[in-house]
Amino acid sequence: DAKTTQPTSMDCAEGRAANLPCNHSTISGNEYVYWYRQIHSQGPQYIIHGLKNNETNEMASLIITEDRKSSTLILPHATLRDTAVYYCIVRTNTGNQFYFGTGTSLTVIP
Amino acid sequence: KAGVTQTPRYLIKTRGQQVTLSCSPISGHRSVSWYQQTPGQGLQFLFEYFSETQRNKGNFPGRFSGRQFSNSRSEMNVSTLELGDSALYLCASSPTTGMNYGYTFGSGTRLTVV
């Protein structure tokens, strides 16, 4: 079962930052937070992951709270091509698989 | 470098038949996982292979099976197809099985059972 809770949908104006929240209050100390996105009918695309510290790459930033019970994915300048379903995943240390949950459907509005 | 390649992209089968899907991971990747995606159930884990060994299996019936070859390529097989097996089947590869490694997904095989 997914260990995360995300809003079902969000809108963001093109060019603005998109901040996607995720709650994972039962996360264990050595479990990673991963973010993937899926554009309709394509395979999920890896965005970023982290354990404790904030992370940044060319696509996004990941902010993890100090207690690790929640995180926020930040797309700094959203474009129309960022419209997708975004999945926040806690990768458990049992089984190694990803539990995707239902994700957040982000719509970037012109 | 080339991504994860899944073949075929689309497939139509009849109830009761069996089907084999293929996945070629990124060169050098030794871990391959399979997922099923349906509108009702979302993305669900099928199984994971590493070095030709199944490391983990999801909650699917025995009709779903897979294997991995020495070159890390993987196949999954579904026998006695049911209408409910219609789905997008996704393969993902990773260099290894560590939790600090992300998986790269292929574009999937869309299976329709009629």
Side-chain angles (χ1 to χ4, degrees):
Chain A
D1 291 328
K3 297 180 67 172
T4 61
T5 304
Q6 299 177 254
T8 302
S9 63
M10 292 180 63
D11 292 338
C12 177
E14 187 178 18
R16 306 295 290 268
N19 296 279
L20 291 88
C22 178
N23 287 322
H24 32 78
S25 58
T26 61
I27 193 169
S28 298
N30 63 346
E31 293 177 333
Y32 284 79
V33 178
Y34 278 77
W35 283 83
Y36 278 78
R37 72 181 182 184
Q38 187 175 27
I39 297 169
H40 183 62
S41 294
Q42 297 181 21
Q45 177 190 22
Y46 167 82
I47 301 173
I48 199 167
H49 74 282
L51 182 62
K52 297 178 184 177
N53 301 320
N54 298 337
E55 303 286 345
T56 295
N57 62 21
E58 64 278 3
M59 287 183 68
S61 294
L62 174 61
I63 309 298
I64 302 174
T65 57
E66 193 170 344
D67 62 8
R68 301 210 324 124
K69 293 186 177 181
S70 65
S71 61
T72 300
L73 177 75
I74 301 173
L75 307 178
H77 305 286
T79 70
L80 298 180
R81 288 180 296 179
D82 292 323
T83 293
V85 177
Y86 287 77
Y87 295 98
C88 169
I89 304 158
V90 169
R91 191 170 187 184
T92 68
N93 51 14
T94 55
N96 205 42
Q97 66 265 41
F98 290 114
Y99 293 98
F100 275 84
T102 55
T104 295
S105 178
L106 174 69
T107 301
V108 179
I109 302 169
Chain B
K1 56 184 178 181
V4 178
T5 303
Q6 292 189 245
T7 56
R9 286 297 310 276
Y10 301 92
L11 204 50
I12 299 175
K13 289 286 189 179
T14 305
R15 261 186 313 175
Q17 288 187 313
Q18 67 98 23
V19 66
T20 299
L21 311 181
S22 179
C23 172
S24 293
I26 290 173
S27 178
H29 284 196
R30 298 170 62 195
S31 175
V32 173
S33 295
W34 289 88
Y35 287 79
Q36 181 198 63
Q37 185 171 28
T38 60
Q41 299 296 320
L43 278 149
Q44 293 189 289
F45 172 76
L46 281 157
F47 26 65
E48 178 188 19
Y49 286 87
F50 180 77
S51 294
E52 301 178 68
T53 302
Q54 186 179 91
R55 297 289 295 267
N56 192 22
K57 190 176 191 303
N59 189 25
F60 278 82
R63 300 184 297 106
F64 292 81
S65 64
R67 60 178 176 169
Q68 185 181 34
F69 302 95
S70 58
N71 62 357
S72 294
R73 190 177 70 86
S74 178
E75 289 180 347
M76 68 161 284
N77 184 78
V78 187
S79 63
T80 319
L81 284 165
E82 301 176 0
L83 295 179
D85 296 333
S86 294
L88 180 66
Y89 289 88
L90 292 156
C91 168
S93 76
S94 177
T96 183
T97 60
M99 288 179 61
N100 195 22
Y101 290 90
Y103 278 77
T104 302
F105 282 81
S107 298
T109 293
R110 183 162 297 280
L111 171 66
T112 302
V113 182
V114 298

PDB file of all heavy atoms in Angstrom, chain A residues 76-104:
ATOM      1  N   PRO A  76      10.398  24.922 -10.701  1.00  0.00           N
ATOM      2  CA  PRO A  76      10.621  26.363 -10.535  1.00  0.00           C
ATOM      3  C   PRO A  76       9.894  27.243 -11.555  1.00  0.00           C
ATOM      4  O   PRO A  76       9.420  28.327 -11.201  1.00  0.00           O
ATOM      5  CB  PRO A  76      12.133  26.514 -10.643  1.00  0.00           C
ATOM      6  CG  PRO A  76      12.610  25.274 -11.300  1.00  0.00           C
ATOM      7  CD  PRO A  76      11.647  24.193 -10.962  1.00  0.00           C
ATOM      8  N   HIS A  77       9.809  26.808 -12.783  1.00  0.00           N
ATOM      9  CA  HIS A  77       9.147  27.600 -13.821  1.00  0.00           C
ATOM     10  C   HIS A  77       8.316  26.648 -14.680  1.00  0.00           C
ATOM     11  O   HIS A  77       8.805  26.104 -15.661  1.00  0.00           O
ATOM     12  CB  HIS A  77      10.171  28.338 -14.692  1.00  0.00           C
ATOM     13  CG  HIS A  77      11.116  29.190 -13.912  1.00  0.00           C
ATOM     14  ND1 HIS A  77      10.745  30.382 -13.336  1.00  0.00           N
ATOM     15  CD2 HIS A  77      12.422  29.010 -13.593  1.00  0.00           C
ATOM     16  CE1 HIS A  77      11.776  30.904 -12.698  1.00  0.00           C
ATOM     17  NE2 HIS A  77      12.800  30.100 -12.834  1.00  0.00           N
ATOM     18  N   ALA A  78       7.083  26.437 -14.275  1.00  0.00           N
ATOM     19  CA  ALA A  78       6.263  25.434 -14.938  1.00  0.00           C
ATOM     20  C   ALA A  78       5.974  25.803 -16.396  1.00  0.00           C
ATOM     21  O   ALA A  78       5.705  26.969 -16.715  1.00  0.00           O
ATOM     22  CB  ALA A  78       4.953  25.257 -14.181  1.00  0.00           C
ATOM     23  N   THR A  79       6.023  24.815 -17.252  1.00  0.00           N
ATOM     24  CA  THR A  79       5.643  24.987 -18.651  1.00  0.00           C
ATOM     25  C   THR A  79       4.480  24.049 -18.956  1.00  0.00           C
ATOM     26  O   THR A  79       4.150  23.154 -18.164  1.00  0.00           O
ATOM     27  CB  THR A  79       6.805  24.657 -19.596  1.00  0.00           C
ATOM     28  OG1 THR A  79       7.036  23.240 -19.568  1.00  0.00           O
ATOM     29  CG2 THR A  79       8.082  25.382 -19.188  1.00  0.00           C
ATOM     30  N   LEU A  80       3.879  24.245 -20.114  1.00  0.00           N
ATOM     31  CA  LEU A  80       2.735  23.408 -20.488  1.00  0.00           C
ATOM     32  C   LEU A  80       3.131  21.939 -20.538  1.00  0.00           C
ATOM     33  O   LEU A  80       2.311  21.059 -20.273  1.00  0.00           O
ATOM     34  CB  LEU A  80       2.176  23.864 -21.838  1.00  0.00           C
ATOM     35  CG  LEU A  80       1.646  25.296 -21.888  1.00  0.00           C
ATOM     36  CD1 LEU A  80       1.128  25.612 -23.294  1.00  0.00           C
ATOM     37  CD2 LEU A  80       0.561  25.529 -20.853  1.00  0.00           C
ATOM     38  N   ARG A  81       4.392  21.683 -20.862  1.00  0.00           N
ATOM     39  CA  ARG A  81       4.850  20.292 -20.946  1.00  0.00           C
ATOM     40  C   ARG A  81       4.990  19.628 -19.580  1.00  0.00           C
ATOM     41  O   ARG A  81       5.228  18.425 -19.500  1.00  0.00           O
ATOM     42  CB  ARG A  81       6.179  20.226 -21.690  1.00  0.00           C
ATOM     43  CG  ARG A  81       6.053  20.491 -23.179  1.00  0.00           C
ATOM     44  CD  ARG A  81       7.387  20.407 -23.886  1.00  0.00           C
ATOM     45  NE  ARG A  81       8.311  21.443 -23.432  1.00  0.00           N
ATOM     46  CZ  ARG A  81       9.549  21.589 -23.865  1.00  0.00           C
ATOM     47  NH1 ARG A  81      10.040  20.734 -24.745  1.00  0.00           N
ATOM     48  NH2 ARG A  81      10.308  22.559 -23.419  1.00  0.00           N
ATOM     49  N   ASP A  82       4.853  20.396 -18.526  1.00  0.00           N
ATOM     50  CA  ASP A  82       4.886  19.819 -17.174  1.00  0.00           C
ATOM     51  C   ASP A  82       3.523  19.295 -16.736  1.00  0.00           C
ATOM     52  O   ASP A  82       3.396  18.742 -15.641  1.00  0.00           O
ATOM     53  CB  ASP A  82       5.382  20.865 -16.168  1.00  0.00           C
ATOM     54  CG  ASP A  82       6.842  21.223 -16.377  1.00  0.00           C
ATOM     55  OD1 ASP A  82       7.641  20.314 -16.718  1.00  0.00           O
ATOM     56  OD2 ASP A  82       7.192  22.413 -16.212  1.00  0.00           O
ATOM     57  N   THR A  83       2.511  19.481 -17.561  1.00  0.00           N
ATOM     58  CA  THR A  83       1.196  18.921 -17.247  1.00  0.00           C
ATOM     59  C   THR A  83       1.305  17.405 -17.243  1.00  0.00           C
ATOM     60  O   THR A  83       1.675  16.794 -18.241  1.00  0.00           O
ATOM     61  CB  THR A  83       0.143  19.381 -18.271  1.00  0.00           C
ATOM     62  OG1 THR A  83      -0.061  20.789 -18.131  1.00  0.00           O
ATOM     63  CG2 THR A  83      -1.173  18.646 -18.071  1.00  0.00           C
ATOM     64  N   ALA A  84       0.990  16.792 -16.095  1.00  0.00           N
ATOM     65  CA  ALA A  84       1.196  15.356 -15.917  1.00  0.00           C
ATOM     66  C   ALA A  84       0.626  14.940 -14.567  1.00  0.00           C
ATOM     67  O   ALA A  84       0.209  15.780 -13.767  1.00  0.00           O
ATOM     68  CB  ALA A  84       2.681  15.003 -15.975  1.00  0.00           C
ATOM     69  N   VAL A  85       0.647  13.642 -14.311  1.00  0.00           N
ATOM     70  CA  VAL A  85       0.347  13.122 -12.978  1.00  0.00           C
ATOM     71  C   VAL A  85       1.670  12.927 -12.250  1.00  0.00           C
ATOM     72  O   VAL A  85       2.576  12.278 -12.774  1.00  0.00           O
ATOM     73  CB  VAL A  85      -0.429  11.796 -13.039  1.00  0.00           C
ATOM     74  CG1 VAL A  85      -0.654  11.248 -11.631  1.00  0.00           C
ATOM     75  CG2 VAL A  85      -1.765  11.990 -13.748  1.00  0.00           C
ATOM     76  N   TYR A  86       1.767  13.506 -11.070  1.00  0.00           N
ATOM     77  CA  TYR A  86       3.000  13.451 -10.289  1.00  0.00           C
ATOM     78  C   TYR A  86       2.810  12.498  -9.107  1.00  0.00           C
ATOM     79  O   TYR A  86       1.867  12.648  -8.319  1.00  0.00           O
ATOM     80  CB  TYR A  86       3.374  14.848  -9.792  1.00  0.00           C
ATOM     81  CG  TYR A  86       3.896  15.714 -10.907  1.00  0.00           C
ATOM     82  CD1 TYR A  86       3.030  16.289 -11.832  1.00  0.00           C
ATOM     83  CD2 TYR A  86       5.265  15.938 -11.059  1.00  0.00           C
ATOM     84  CE1 TYR A  86       3.508  17.069 -12.880  1.00  0.00           C
ATOM     85  CE2 TYR A  86       5.752  16.714 -12.099  1.00  0.00           C
ATOM     86  CZ  TYR A  86       4.871  17.269 -13.003  1.00  0.00           C
ATOM     87  OH  TYR A  86       5.349  18.033 -14.043  1.00  0.00           O
ATOM     88  N   TYR A  87       3.702  11.550  -9.010  1.00  0.00           N
ATOM     89  CA  TYR A  87       3.628  10.547  -7.954  1.00  0.00           C
ATOM     90  C   TYR A  87       4.734  10.768  -6.934  1.00  0.00           C
ATOM     91  O   TYR A  87       5.913  10.855  -7.288  1.00  0.00           O
ATOM     92  CB  TYR A  87       3.786   9.143  -8.525  1.00  0.00           C
ATOM     93  CG  TYR A  87       2.690   8.705  -9.459  1.00  0.00           C
ATOM     94  CD1 TYR A  87       2.854   8.786 -10.835  1.00  0.00           C
ATOM     95  CD2 TYR A  87       1.507   8.169  -8.955  1.00  0.00           C
ATOM     96  CE1 TYR A  87       1.846   8.363 -11.690  1.00  0.00           C
ATOM     97  CE2 TYR A  87       0.506   7.743  -9.808  1.00  0.00           C
ATOM     98  CZ  TYR A  87       0.684   7.846 -11.181  1.00  0.00           C
ATOM     99  OH  TYR A  87      -0.311   7.415 -12.015  1.00  0.00           O
ATOM    100  N   CYS A  88       4.323  10.853  -5.694  1.00  0.00           N
ATOM    101  CA  CYS A  88       5.249  10.876  -4.566  1.00  0.00           C
ATOM    102  C   CYS A  88       5.281   9.465  -3.987  1.00  0.00           C
ATOM    103  O   CYS A  88       4.220   8.894  -3.700  1.00  0.00           O
ATOM    104  CB  CYS A  88       4.761  11.877  -3.524  1.00  0.00           C
ATOM    105  SG  CYS A  88       5.621  11.820  -1.936  1.00  0.00           S
ATOM    106  N   ILE A  89       6.449   8.898  -3.860  1.00  0.00           N
ATOM    107  CA  ILE A  89       6.568   7.493  -3.472  1.00  0.00           C
ATOM    108  C   ILE A  89       7.572   7.360  -2.344  1.00  0.00           C
ATOM    109  O   ILE A  89       8.668   7.934  -2.408  1.00  0.00           O
ATOM    110  CB  ILE A  89       7.061   6.655  -4.669  1.00  0.00           C
ATOM    111  CG1 ILE A  89       6.141   6.823  -5.878  1.00  0.00           C
ATOM    112  CG2 ILE A  89       7.185   5.183  -4.296  1.00  0.00           C
ATOM    113  CD1 ILE A  89       6.812   6.497  -7.191  1.00  0.00           C
ATOM    114  N   VAL A  90       7.181   6.616  -1.322  1.00  0.00           N
ATOM    115  CA  VAL A  90       8.142   6.217  -0.307  1.00  0.00           C
ATOM    116  C   VAL A  90       8.620   4.822  -0.666  1.00  0.00           C
ATOM    117  O   VAL A  90       7.822   3.888  -0.739  1.00  0.00           O
ATOM    118  CB  VAL A  90       7.524   6.229   1.103  1.00  0.00           C
ATOM    119  CG1 VAL A  90       8.462   5.553   2.101  1.00  0.00           C
ATOM    120  CG2 VAL A  90       7.225   7.652   1.534  1.00  0.00           C
ATOM    121  N   ARG A  91       9.893   4.724  -0.899  1.00  0.00           N
ATOM    122  CA  ARG A  91      10.449   3.435  -1.284  1.00  0.00           C
ATOM    123  C   ARG A  91      10.815   2.665  -0.018  1.00  0.00           C
ATOM    124  O   ARG A  91      11.737   3.034   0.691  1.00  0.00           O
ATOM    125  CB  ARG A  91      11.673   3.607  -2.167  1.00  0.00           C
ATOM    126  CG  ARG A  91      12.130   2.305  -2.800  1.00  0.00           C
ATOM    127  CD  ARG A  91      13.181   2.567  -3.832  1.00  0.00           C
ATOM    128  NE  ARG A  91      13.525   1.362  -4.559  1.00  0.00           N
ATOM    129  CZ  ARG A  91      14.481   1.309  -5.461  1.00  0.00           C
ATOM    130  NH1 ARG A  91      15.188   2.391  -5.736  1.00  0.00           N
ATOM    131  NH2 ARG A  91      14.739   0.188  -6.095  1.00  0.00           N
ATOM    132  N   THR A  92      10.051   1.623   0.236  1.00  0.00           N
ATOM    133  CA  THR A  92      10.231   0.912   1.495  1.00  0.00           C
ATOM    134  C   THR A  92      11.429  -0.019   1.413  1.00  0.00           C
ATOM    135  O   THR A  92      11.893  -0.384   0.324  1.00  0.00           O
ATOM    136  CB  THR A  92       8.982   0.083   1.833  1.00  0.00           C
ATOM    137  OG1 THR A  92       8.869  -0.976   0.881  1.00  0.00           O
ATOM    138  CG2 THR A  92       7.731   0.944   1.773  1.00  0.00           C
ATOM    139  N   ASN A  93      11.901  -0.396   2.580  1.00  0.00           N
ATOM    140  CA  ASN A  93      13.049  -1.298   2.614  1.00  0.00           C
ATOM    141  C   ASN A  93      12.620  -2.758   2.634  1.00  0.00           C
ATOM    142  O   ASN A  93      13.440  -3.645   2.824  1.00  0.00           O
ATOM    143  CB  ASN A  93      13.940  -0.991   3.822  1.00  0.00           C
ATOM    144  CG  ASN A  93      13.132  -0.935   5.108  1.00  0.00           C
ATOM    145  OD1 ASN A  93      11.990  -1.360   5.147  1.00  0.00           O
ATOM    146  ND2 ASN A  93      13.735  -0.417   6.154  1.00  0.00           N
ATOM    147  N   THR A  94      11.344  -3.014   2.446  1.00  0.00           N
ATOM    148  CA  THR A  94      10.880  -4.386   2.280  1.00  0.00           C
ATOM    149  C   THR A  94      10.331  -4.524   0.864  1.00  0.00           C
ATOM    150  O   THR A  94       9.402  -3.827   0.482  1.00  0.00           O
ATOM    151  CB  THR A  94       9.765  -4.733   3.285  1.00  0.00           C
ATOM    152  OG1 THR A  94       8.711  -3.773   3.154  1.00  0.00           O
ATOM    153  CG2 THR A  94      10.288  -4.696   4.699  1.00  0.00           C
ATOM    154  N   GLY A  95      10.933  -5.368   0.085  1.00  0.00           N
ATOM    155  CA  GLY A  95      10.388  -5.618  -1.235  1.00  0.00           C
ATOM    156  C   GLY A  95      10.987  -4.778  -2.339  1.00  0.00           C
ATOM    157  O   GLY A  95      10.994  -5.171  -3.475  1.00  0.00           O
ATOM    158  N   ASN A  96      11.461  -3.614  -2.034  1.00  0.00           N
ATOM    159  CA  ASN A  96      12.172  -2.794  -3.006  1.00  0.00           C
ATOM    160  C   ASN A  96      11.299  -2.188  -4.102  1.00  0.00           C
ATOM    161  O   ASN A  96      11.785  -1.463  -4.936  1.00  0.00           O
ATOM    162  CB  ASN A  96      13.297  -3.615  -3.668  1.00  0.00           C
ATOM    163  CG  ASN A  96      14.414  -2.741  -4.182  1.00  0.00           C
ATOM    164  OD1 ASN A  96      14.825  -1.805  -3.515  1.00  0.00           O
ATOM    165  ND2 ASN A  96      14.873  -3.002  -5.376  1.00  0.00           N
ATOM    166  N   GLN A  97       9.998  -2.490  -4.104  1.00  0.00           N
ATOM    167  CA  GLN A  97       9.195  -1.956  -5.200  1.00  0.00           C
ATOM    168  C   GLN A  97       8.684  -0.565  -4.858  1.00  0.00           C
ATOM    169  O   GLN A  97       8.738  -0.115  -3.727  1.00  0.00           O
ATOM    170  CB  GLN A  97       7.992  -2.852  -5.505  1.00  0.00           C
ATOM    171  CG  GLN A  97       6.950  -2.939  -4.412  1.00  0.00           C
ATOM    172  CD  GLN A  97       7.165  -4.131  -3.534  1.00  0.00           C
ATOM    173  OE1 GLN A  97       8.290  -4.460  -3.179  1.00  0.00           O
ATOM    174  NE2 GLN A  97       6.100  -4.809  -3.185  1.00  0.00           N
ATOM    175  N   PHE A  98       8.174   0.114  -5.881  1.00  0.00           N
ATOM    176  CA  PHE A  98       7.527   1.405  -5.708  1.00  0.00           C
ATOM    177  C   PHE A  98       6.024   1.195  -5.555  1.00  0.00           C
ATOM    178  O   PHE A  98       5.408   0.497  -6.343  1.00  0.00           O
ATOM    179  CB  PHE A  98       7.769   2.293  -6.933  1.00  0.00           C
ATOM    180  CG  PHE A  98       9.183   2.761  -7.073  1.00  0.00           C
ATOM    181  CD1 PHE A  98       9.967   2.338  -8.131  1.00  0.00           C
ATOM    182  CD2 PHE A  98       9.721   3.645  -6.165  1.00  0.00           C
ATOM    183  CE1 PHE A  98      11.272   2.783  -8.276  1.00  0.00           C
ATOM    184  CE2 PHE A  98      11.026   4.096  -6.300  1.00  0.00           C
ATOM    185  CZ  PHE A  98      11.800   3.659  -7.360  1.00  0.00           C
ATOM    186  N   TYR A  99       5.426   1.828  -4.538  1.00  0.00           N
ATOM    187  CA  TYR A  99       3.976   1.873  -4.402  1.00  0.00           C
ATOM    188  C   TYR A  99       3.534   3.253  -4.878  1.00  0.00           C
ATOM    189  O   TYR A  99       3.780   4.254  -4.209  1.00  0.00           O
ATOM    190  CB  TYR A  99       3.555   1.654  -2.948  1.00  0.00           C
ATOM    191  CG  TYR A  99       3.846   0.270  -2.441  1.00  0.00           C
ATOM    192  CD1 TYR A  99       4.982   0.023  -1.685  1.00  0.00           C
ATOM    193  CD2 TYR A  99       2.993  -0.789  -2.717  1.00  0.00           C
ATOM    194  CE1 TYR A  99       5.264  -1.242  -1.208  1.00  0.00           C
ATOM    195  CE2 TYR A  99       3.264  -2.060  -2.237  1.00  0.00           C
ATOM    196  CZ  TYR A  99       4.397  -2.279  -1.495  1.00  0.00           C
ATOM    197  OH  TYR A  99       4.671  -3.535  -1.031  1.00  0.00           O
ATOM    198  N   PHE A 100       2.886   3.294  -6.040  1.00  0.00           N
ATOM    199  CA  PHE A 100       2.660   4.581  -6.698  1.00  0.00           C
ATOM    200  C   PHE A 100       1.508   5.393  -6.137  1.00  0.00           C
ATOM    201  O   PHE A 100       1.505   6.593  -6.249  1.00  0.00           O
ATOM    202  CB  PHE A 100       2.452   4.358  -8.199  1.00  0.00           C
ATOM    203  CG  PHE A 100       3.731   4.281  -8.959  1.00  0.00           C
ATOM    204  CD1 PHE A 100       4.450   3.097  -9.047  1.00  0.00           C
ATOM    205  CD2 PHE A 100       4.250   5.405  -9.584  1.00  0.00           C
ATOM    206  CE1 PHE A 100       5.643   3.042  -9.736  1.00  0.00           C
ATOM    207  CE2 PHE A 100       5.446   5.356 -10.291  1.00  0.00           C
ATOM    208  CZ  PHE A 100       6.145   4.172 -10.364  1.00  0.00           C
ATOM    209  N   GLY A 101       0.527   4.841  -5.575  1.00  0.00           N
ATOM    210  CA  GLY A 101      -0.617   5.631  -5.130  1.00  0.00           C
ATOM    211  C   GLY A 101      -1.350   6.249  -6.310  1.00  0.00           C
ATOM    212  O   GLY A 101      -1.187   5.840  -7.461  1.00  0.00           O
ATOM    213  N   THR A 102      -2.141   7.281  -6.032  1.00  0.00           N
ATOM    214  CA  THR A 102      -2.980   7.898  -7.073  1.00  0.00           C
ATOM    215  C   THR A 102      -2.373   9.170  -7.648  1.00  0.00           C
ATOM    216  O   THR A 102      -2.788   9.632  -8.693  1.00  0.00           O
ATOM    217  CB  THR A 102      -4.380   8.210  -6.539  1.00  0.00           C
ATOM    218  OG1 THR A 102      -4.256   9.013  -5.365  1.00  0.00           O
ATOM    219  CG2 THR A 102      -5.130   6.925  -6.201  1.00  0.00           C
ATOM    220  N   GLY A 103      -1.400   9.758  -6.979  1.00  0.00           N
ATOM    221  CA  GLY A 103      -0.705  10.911  -7.517  1.00  0.00           C
ATOM    222  C   GLY A 103      -1.518  12.196  -7.545  1.00  0.00           C
ATOM    223  O   GLY A 103      -2.689  12.234  -7.173  1.00  0.00           O
ATOM    224  N   THR A 104      -0.858  13.267  -7.979  1.00  0.00           N
ATOM    225  CA  THR A 104      -1.481  14.584  -8.171  1.00  0.00           C
ATOM    226  C   THR A 104      -1.488  14.909  -9.648  1.00  0.00           C
ATOM    227  O   THR A 104      -0.427  14.899 -10.282  1.00  0.00           O
ATOM    228  CB  THR A 104      -0.712  15.682  -7.415  1.00  0.00           C
ATOM    229  OG1 THR A 104      -0.782  15.465  -6.018  1.00  0.00           O
ATOM    230  CG2 THR A 104      -1.300  17.066  -7.745  1.00  0.00           C
TER     231      THR A 104
END
